[in-house]
Amino acid sequence: MATTAYAIRPQLIERRARLEAASGSVSDSYLSQLLAEVDTALAKIDVGRYGLCETCNDPIEKDRLELNPLCRFCLDHLDEKERAHHQQDLDLATQIQFQLLPQNLTLDRGETQYRYEPVGAVGGDYCEVSLLGEPASGTQSLFFAVGDVSGKGVAASLLMMHLSAIFRSLLSMDLSLAEIVSRANRLFCESTGPSHYATLVCGRSTPDGLEICNAGHCPPLFLLHHATERLDSNGLPLGLFSGAEYTVTQHAPREGECLVLYSDGITEAANPAGDEYQHDRLIRSLRERFHHGAHAMCDAVLHDLAHFRDAHPSADDVTLLVVRRR
């Protein structure tokens, strides 16, 4: 919690300065109340008590502190009014997030299927499937992506929505895939805190096949008829360095072959013994339904993952996307 307090202190000092500058626009009593809340948080930092619940002394949930650095109580000790407000915010975030999820597509030359399971009501995984261009032009292409934003809970879901908005705005422009990712990285750097970042792998269909860019994410799996290739990362996660450069690789899947994108909520899922699911089991599960189509492959992985975890609870969001050449 000391690292969190160190990062929060400058934000609190800036907030206090803005409050003082706003004197006259709000009542003196309300201004004094807000200043007192900020001063209390600063005092807690000075004595090493920041981020601890005032009732039970347990740490306050990190995602709630990121959203509101003036939090004083953990979820277990909110009063009835605060609990109701928190639930309303959570319900709204859940509704918005699921409205952003894409549709599965069946195209003349391919199909997509995805599965998305947040560990809580909302999650920090990013999944996108979009058709680019006008149907009448005859030059439509498919854009797809899977990403994972740092953090968990509501704070991570808000960052995921922000990342989604950045990409959707850039996809409306006539840009190369490398330029889309580079601009998304700069915008994400400029509009989020220094501790926030996102791993991402994305791709776009071309007349000759697929182009792929991997920004620090889990290596996509290229399932060929007689082999499986892992496409390792060739770029930094988004949000670390605004000037980061990204490269694109070209691939030409044949009929029936697949590209599989996923989050580490699958490969790092643990069973009651503490063993992880890992890539080999994921590949084996995909291979067992390779000739049955993308839908069957996704269902097979989630069924096998649930069997592997047994009674062990999920610790991270799960996202799986299969792009299959028809």
Side-chain angles (χ1 to χ4, degrees), residues 236-255:
L236 294 172
L238 307 185
L240 293 183
F241 298 97
S242 62
E245 297 181 355
Y246 296 91
T247 58
V248 170
T249 57
Q250 306 289 334
H251 306 274
R254 295 182 295 169
E255 182 179 343

Side-chain angles (χ1 to χ4, degrees), residues 210 220-224 227-231 251-254 257-260 287:
L210 297 174
L221 302 174
F222 199 14
L223 271 66
L224 311 176
T228 300
E229 298 178 359
R230 287 176 49 165
L231 309 180
H251 306 274
R254 295 182 295 169
E257 294 180 335
C258 305
L259 182 72
V260 180
R287 279 286 176 191

Side-chain angles (χ1 to χ4, degrees), residues 104-105 110-115 127 129 142 144-146 210 221 223 256-262 282 286 289-290 293-299 301 319-325:
N104 289 312
L105 299 177
E111 63 173 329
T112 68
Q113 280 285 326
Y114 77 91
R115 300 292 184 271
C127 184
V129 177
L142 175 70
F144 51 89
V146 166
L210 297 174
L221 302 174
L223 271 66
E257 294 180 335
C258 305
L259 182 72
V260 180
L261 282 59
Y262 56 94
L282 172 60
L286 289 165
R289 292 292 183 271
F290 179 67
H295 189 285
M297 293 169 70
C298 286
D299 286 349
V301 170
T319 302
L320 177 69
L321 172 63
V322 175
V323 180
R324 184 172 181 263
R325 176 73 180 270

Side-chain angles (χ1 to χ4, degrees), residues 1 46 49 71 90 202 205 219 221-222 234 244 254 278 295:
M1 195 61 69
D46 292 338
R49 299 286 301 166
C71 278
L90 193 61
C202 62
S205 63
L221 302 174
F222 199 14
N234 52 11
R254 295 182 295 169
Q278 298 189 340
H295 189 285

Side-chain angles (χ1 to χ4, degrees), residues 119 268-275 305-316:
V119 70
E268 295 181 3
N271 63 13
D275 302 319
L305 183 63
H307 177 73
F308 173 80
R309 281 201 309 250
D310 193 14
H312 197 271
S314 177
D316 203 356

